[in-house]
């Protein structure tokens, strides 16, 4: 009886720890008023944020992460992909200089070969080969059991996602994504997906209710056979799971490599009130361990975008206002990560 209770306690503890550790935060550097990199790592630690994504192997960030036990998702930047895929020594050098040099003092979790690479771009055809090269280099370094190699995609690659069970990759995306799915299956690695209900909402305000995008709907909004959806986040995720199934990726898990809501730049949708509601609710949802209607009980590892407002981000004005913290390190919302 004592043994059973002990095992049950350990099981419940593991569930609790898994939930807490399911939240990470993306750390972007596109600002001229951001704190020092050591101060940023200290801010992660003070707030109990146990996972981080960075968009390139910055040596100062990597040195500051040593010994912190913060798990890291690090990108091979888009501009490096072709070289990694075609230069015989580039992948081994990249892994040696940016991963092996810092491991095990830095806890690497994933390498994302590119972020939101457009399927029609010149670099798209090099993503799959670059993933293969990085995987081989990781294996040569003896780190294949610790680090998974993937790529981070836009939700725009999936079409017909209403209802979610109809989700499929577009004809344009299939030549790009099929070899990647095969790679993920072979290496038991997840697909990284940037999931933004905000962008879906502003693109279809006449058909998508705001409460559905913000996790505040009190009723089922989309009925998909026996599955009911009360929030857009789950529907977007399950649309991708359906698309993966149609391309032989039924065993591929999804990691949400970015999700967020801007606090300014496009009123009234982009507001502090909506952003605070979204971040609080997506954290609560992910940490509940409920999963999605299609994948009930499955953890949703999620990285919030982003740690700071970044005043040098290019694109729409909203891109500068996704931060959980202001550059002075003050929290914008009353969010707990612990």
């Amino acid at each position: 009886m004592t043994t059973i209770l002990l095992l049950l306690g350990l099981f419940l503890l593991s569930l609790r720890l898994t939930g807490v550790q399911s939240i990470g935060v993306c750390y972007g550097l596109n600002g001229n008023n951001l704190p020092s990199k050591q101060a940023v790592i200290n801010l992660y630690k003070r707030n109990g944020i146990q996972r981080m994504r960075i968009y390139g192997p910055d040596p100062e960030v990597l040195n500051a992460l040593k010994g912190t036990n913060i798990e890291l998702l690090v990108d091979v930047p888009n501009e490096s992909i072709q070289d990694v895929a075609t230069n015989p020594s580039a992948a081994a050098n990249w892994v040696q200089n940016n991963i092996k040099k810092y491991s095990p003092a830095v806890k690497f979790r994933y390498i994302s070969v590119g972020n939101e690479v457009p399927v029609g771009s010149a670099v798209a055809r090099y993503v799959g080969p670059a993933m293969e090269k990085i995987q081989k280099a990781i294996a040569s370094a003896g780190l294949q059991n610790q680090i998974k190699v993937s790529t981070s995609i836009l939700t725009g690659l999936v079409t017909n996602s209403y209802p979610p069970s109809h989700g499929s990759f577009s004809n344009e995306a299939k030549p790009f994504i099929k070899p990647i799915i095969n790679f993920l299956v072979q290496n038991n690695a997840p697909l990284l997906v940037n999931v933004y209900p905000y962008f879906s909402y502003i693109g279809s305000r006449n058909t998508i209710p705001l409460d559905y995008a913000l996790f505040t709907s009190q009723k089922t909004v989309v009925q998909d056979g026996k599955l009911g959806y009360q929030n857009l986040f789950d529907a977007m995720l399950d649309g991708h799971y359906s698309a993966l199934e149609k391309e032989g990726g039924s065993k591929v898990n999804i990691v949400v490599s970015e999700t967020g809501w801007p606090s300014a730049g496009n009123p009234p949708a982009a507001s502090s009130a909506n952003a605070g509601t979204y971040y609080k609710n997506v954290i609560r949802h992910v940490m509940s361990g409920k999963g999605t209607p299609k994948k009930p009980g499955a953890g949703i590892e999620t990285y919030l975008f982003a740690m700071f407002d970044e005043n040098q981000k290019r694109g729409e004005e909203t891109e500068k206002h996704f931060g959980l913290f202001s550059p002075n390190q003050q929290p914008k919302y009353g969010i707990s990560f612990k």
Side-chain angles (χ1 to χ4, degrees):
M1 184 66 177
T2 302
T3 302
I4 293 173
L5 289 174
L6 177 61
L7 290 172
L8 179 60
L10 290 172
F11 174 69
L12 292 174
L13 177 62
S14 71
L15 287 180
R16 184 175 67 83
L17 290 174
T18 299
V20 170
Q21 294 174 355
S22 290
I23 291 290
V25 179
C26 303
Y27 173 26
L29 299 172
N30 294 306
N32 60 12
N33 58 352
L34 300 179
S36 72
K37 292 165 185 176
Q38 183 61 62
V40 173
I41 305 307
N42 293 341
L43 188 61
Y44 270 73
K45 291 165 63 179
R46 285 200 306 274
N47 284 276
I49 304 169
Q50 298 178 353
R51 289 179 180 160
M52 173 188 290
R53 180 183 184 181
I54 57 175
Y55 294 90
D58 184 281
E60 195 174 345
V61 174
L62 293 173
N63 281 318
L65 282 169
K66 288 180 178 177
T68 63
N69 286 323
I70 294 172
E71 294 183 289
L72 188 64
L73 190 174
V74 60
D75 287 23
V76 176
N78 291 5
E79 58 269 22
S80 301
I81 291 173
Q82 182 174 347
D83 185 52
V84 166
T86 58
N87 184 328
S89 60
N93 290 340
W94 193 94
V95 168
Q96 175 62 42
N97 295 333
N98 302 308
I99 305 296
K100 191 171 176 60
K101 178 180 177 180
Y102 299 96
S103 181
V106 175
K107 293 182 68 174
F108 293 98
R109 185 169 177 83
Y110 303 116
I111 296 172
S112 178
V113 178
N115 181 51
E116 299 183 350
V117 173
V119 295
S121 68
V123 75
R125 68 190 183 99
Y126 296 107
V127 173
M131 291 170 67
E132 296 277 3
K133 294 285 187 69
I134 292 290
Q135 179 66 38
K136 184 177 179 180
I138 287 292
S140 296
L143 297 170
Q144 70 276 15
N145 294 325
Q146 174 191 338
I147 303 169
K148 295 296 184 180
V149 177
S150 187
T151 189
S152 186
I153 67 166
L154 278 168
T155 52
L157 273 61
V158 169
T159 59
N160 306 320
S161 56
Y162 179 84
S165 61
H166 290 188
S168 60
F169 288 104
S170 69
N171 289 334
E172 183 186 14
K174 283 180 182 179
F176 169 77
I177 201 68
K178 277 187 173 182
I180 290 171
I181 293 172
N182 293 339
F183 170 91
L184 299 176
V185 170
Q186 292 168 7
N187 292 284
N188 191 29
L191 178 65
L192 309 180
V193 183
N194 295 345
V195 179
Y196 284 96
Y198 166 77
F199 290 114
S200 295
Y201 168 70
I202 64 169
S204 305
R205 295 188 207 208
N206 293 333
T207 55
I208 297 177
L210 181 61
D211 60 357
Y212 183 55
L214 292 176
F215 293 88
T216 55
S217 175
Q218 300 301 307
K219 62 182 181 180
T220 296
V221 177
V222 172
Q223 191 67 42
D224 188 4
K226 295 181 179 179
L227 304 180
Y229 291 85
Q230 285 188 238
N231 69 80
L232 182 55
F233 179 87
D234 281 352
M236 294 174 76
L237 264 181
D238 282 353
H240 281 74
Y241 276 120
S242 296
L244 281 168
E245 288 176 356
K246 293 177 176 68
E247 303 301 333
S250 59
K251 294 183 179 179
V252 175
N253 191 34
I254 291 173
V255 169
V256 178
S257 44
E258 288 182 11
T259 192
W261 196 286
S263 61
N266 183 25
S271 69
S272 291
N274 286 346
T277 297
Y278 182 79
Y279 285 118
K280 291 173 187 175
N281 286 337
V282 74
I283 290 171
R284 184 181 300 116
H285 181 61
V286 168
M287 293 181 69
S288 74
K290 292 180 180 178
T292 69
K294 188 175 178 65
K295 300 280 186 176
I300 309 171
E301 184 175 342
T302 299
Y303 294 77
L304 305 180
F305 186 87
M307 194 66 171
F308 299 104
D309 286 342
E310 298 173 63
N311 64 1
Q312 293 180 320
K313 279 284 297 247
R314 290 178 291 181
E316 300 291 332
E317 179 64 22
T318 51
E319 293 291 333
K320 301 176 182 179
H321 301 283
F322 275 88
L324 296 168
F325 293 84
S326 298
N328 64 4
Q329 303 185 55
Q330 292 302 304
K332 291 170 62 179
Y333 319 106
I335 291 174
S336 173
F337 302 92
K338 299 180 180 180

